[in-house]
Amino acid sequence: MNLDPLDNPVPASAPSRQEGSWERETLERLVFETLREQRAARRWKLFFRLVWLAIIGSVLWLWFQQAQMAGAVSTPHTALIEVKGEIASGAEASADNVLSSVRAAFDDEGAQAVVLLIDSPGGSPVQAGIINDEITRLKSLHQKKVYAVVEETCASAAYYIATAADEIYVDKASLVGSIGVLMEGFGFTGLMDKVGVERRLMVAGQNKAMLDPFSPQDEAQRAYIQSMLGEIHAQFIEVVKKGRGTRLKETPDTFTGLVWSGQQAVQQGLADGLGSLDYVAREVVKAEDIVDYTQRENVGLRLARELGVHMGEGIFKAARGVGIELR
């Protein structure tokens, strides 16, 4: 309010009061929003710190456990290594993972023998060949026995690995064998003709587009691929014969890619007997204690990698927002 010369109160105008109120409310809202954003930023900062601490703690704990195991005096036991799932580069049953486990088992003086617990439909002949060759070398170097124990399936590349073992044990209903090689694909030329799609392909090198699914099959190229598959098949057969020796009762069907039950595999000399992991550890190795050497992906490292991917995506988006191109 204002005072006139006679000190009589004069009411302030309504628009002035409304204008002052609006400014104050706007300022308050801005202050509250700023405080809210600051609190949220602090919470996210604390969250990410806790996540990284958990990851680092997990990695350090696993490292400490492994160091303790390595430093401890090992008592007699059966070393177990699982070979499960697809045998392929980057998979759990890759040559890198399996052989890291195998080497650790061979290096442990307490390991009386190494058991490969196999449940795999097969996979890469390259990965299987690397595993087979290295197991053969380590057996000779350390003078330790290797046994393969089949659970559900030991087919194709998995059986390739199993032949490196001194003996193979199966369940009577296991699926064993499939000694063959395949390469699969599709051809879409007929479908393209029906829908009116024209394939336009340019290459330098007449065989560069070999087995292209959108081009007609070339007989010369097909014959070349078939000969290559035959060569790999011959390598597989040689490995089986070398590994099984005189125990193998070869028939015309042995190397045709057929798969047999565990009972049939024993009869044909593809396996040595019926037995589980516990049976082999107890009755064959004579060391009932089983120690698992299978190296699996570290949970903390996987979480760190996934978190790193998400952070990288955020940085990329932020960079794109300010006109920076990442190439």
Side-chain angles (χ1 to χ4, degrees), residues 88-103 127 130-131 295:
S89 177
E92 186 174 343
S94 67
D96 284 343
N97 289 343
V98 172
L99 291 179
S100 294
S101 307
V102 169
R103 293 186 188 105
Q127 297 289 304
I130 294 171
I131 295 171
Q295 295 194 10

Side-chain angles (χ1 to χ4, degrees), residues 116-129:
L116 304 174
L117 185 62
I118 300 176
D119 186 2
S120 169
S124 166
V126 175
Q127 297 289 304

Side-chain angles (χ1 to χ4, degrees), residues 268-305:
Q268 296 189 39
L270 294 170
D272 296 283
L274 303 179
S276 63
L277 171 62
D278 290 334
Y279 170 82
V280 171
R282 182 180 63 252
E283 303 296 336
V284 181
V285 182
K286 306 296 184 182
E288 287 192 63
D289 290 337
I290 299 172
V291 177
D292 190 352
Y293 287 78
T294 308
Q295 295 194 10
R296 298 175 176 86
E297 187 175 19
N298 184 288
V299 177
L301 292 177
R302 184 174 70 247
L303 180 60
R305 184 175 64 250

Side-chain angles (χ1 to χ4, degrees), residues 154-170:
C154 181
S156 195
Y159 189 72
Y160 195 124
I161 293 172
T163 58
D166 295 283
E167 295 177 6
I168 301 174
Y169 291 87
V170 298

Side-chain angles (χ1 to χ4, degrees), residues 170-192:
V170 298
D171 183 86
K172 58 183 178 294
S174 298
L175 298 179
V176 182
S178 187
I179 303 170
V181 184
L182 65 83
M183 177 182 288
E184 59 184 358
F186 298 93
F188 298 99
T189 53
L191 176 62
M192 292 170 64

Side-chain angles (χ1 to χ4, degrees), residues 99 126-139 159-165 239-240 242-243:
L99 291 179
V126 175
Q127 297 289 304
I130 294 171
I131 295 171
N132 184 290
D133 291 345
E134 182 64 5
I135 289 176
T136 302
R137 186 188 73 84
L138 291 171
K139 283 197 315 180
Y159 189 72
Y160 195 124
I161 293 172
T163 58
V239 168
V240 173
K242 180 180 178 181

